[in-house]
Amino acid sequence: MITTANLIKKVRCIINETEEDYEISVISDKVRSFDDIIKELLSQAVALVQQNKGAKGGFVNVKILTSTTGLILDNGDGTGYITLPDDFVELLYCKLNVWKRPCTIIYSSSSPQAARQYNKATRAGILKPVCVEGVTTAGNKSVELFPAPAGAKVEKFLYEAMFNVNDGLNRCDKNMIDAVVYACASLVYNMFERYDAANSFMSYAMALCNGTTR
């Protein structure tokens, strides 16, 4: 876990190093604290990294649902669903105690995979379970579980979460931390209309996302 304060320090550090090459520093805002500007941009930076990370990138801000926080609600037909937390971004791993293998993707409700789950003859079983996106009657996002027999429990559920300044980054790979820092620095430079530096930092952040840096 890395705190928001440490992320801010890292962003300031790389900007300070870059600013040594310029006569006029970007760190000259007298209206607001420079740290506050960085803090405001961190959520956007984390979201950019989460949206652009490739298979070689890594995990960003991982959280866990337990059998208590990820309570399975029974549909009464051998399936069930879990109401997703408000900060949910992407599924990494979902395993019920009755499944023989985990799910690592949530299929769109309009996908062919989803259509097969609503037909009992083609529905997935415990050997190859399926997760499908859903919405509860209250309008909250959920994940439909196929199958989820009565009494099934969550064995392990990992997901990437939105950034919360009060929590910092949880369980984040080092290269992804660096990607967040450089993406945030890029957003800072973009705010100050220093587009060359902004583009350079964002390119490096995207390279980190895809594991193509040397």
Side-chain angles (χ1 to χ4, degrees):
M1 185 263 192
I2 178 169
T3 65
T4 297
N6 282 334
L7 285 171
I8 291 172
K9 288 179 182 179
K10 286 179 175 290
V11 175
R12 286 189 68 111
C13 181
I14 63 170
I15 288 178
N16 280 329
E17 290 175 356
T18 303
E19 286 305 298
E20 291 177 0
D21 298 329
Y22 296 90
E23 294 181 359
I24 302 175
S25 175
V26 74
I27 308 175
S28 60
D29 188 271
K30 296 180 181 179
V31 179
R32 292 187 296 166
S33 163
F34 192 65
D35 285 359
D36 288 341
I37 294 173
I38 295 173
K39 184 184 294 185
E40 289 177 7
L41 293 172
L42 276 172
S43 294
Q44 186 177 345
V46 172
L48 281 169
V49 171
Q50 289 176 327
Q51 292 166 8
N52 290 281
K53 64 183 176 64
K56 295 182 179 180
F59 300 136
V60 186
N61 204 29
V62 179
K63 291 188 177 181
I64 302 173
L65 280 183
T66 66
S67 57
T68 300
T69 57
L71 181 64
I72 298 175
L73 301 174
D74 191 355
N75 286 326
D77 61 353
T79 70
Y81 67 94
I82 297 173
T83 301
L84 294 172
D86 292 338
D87 64 353
F88 180 88
V89 173
E90 181 182 356
L91 176 69
L92 297 177
Y93 187 102
C94 176
K95 173 76 164 60
L96 303 191
N97 61 336
V98 296
W99 291 355
K100 298 301 182 181
R101 58 185 291 184
C103 288
T104 56
I105 185 172
I106 298 178
Y107 290 105
S108 166
S109 58
S110 60
S111 67
Q113 293 88 345
R116 287 194 288 269
Q117 306 317 307
Y118 297 108
N119 183 329
K120 289 185 178 181
T122 58
R123 181 176 295 167
I126 62 173
L127 295 179
K128 196 174 181 180
V130 170
C131 289
V132 175
E133 65 180 14
V135 180
T136 68
T137 54
N140 299 314
K141 290 183 179 180
S142 66
V143 54
E144 299 281 347
L145 308 167
F146 301 92
K153 295 182 179 180
V154 173
E155 188 174 284
K156 189 175 183 180
F157 192 110
L158 302 177
Y159 71 99
E160 285 191 347
M162 296 177 187
F163 179 73
N164 185 315
V165 294
N166 297 319
D167 297 336
L169 283 177
N170 298 283
R171 301 183 66 181
C172 189
D173 292 342
K174 184 183 182 303
N175 58 327
M176 293 294 93
I177 293 174
D178 291 342
V180 168
V181 169
Y182 277 93
C184 188
S186 172
L187 294 173
V188 171
Y189 274 116
N190 194 65
M191 175 180 286
F192 286 93
E193 299 182 355
R194 291 276 289 280
Y195 301 121
D196 287 344
N199 292 336
S200 177
F201 277 2
M202 188 59 73
S203 294
Y204 189 64
M206 293 302 101
L208 286 165
C209 285
N210 291 287
T212 58
T213 57
R214 296 182 179 179

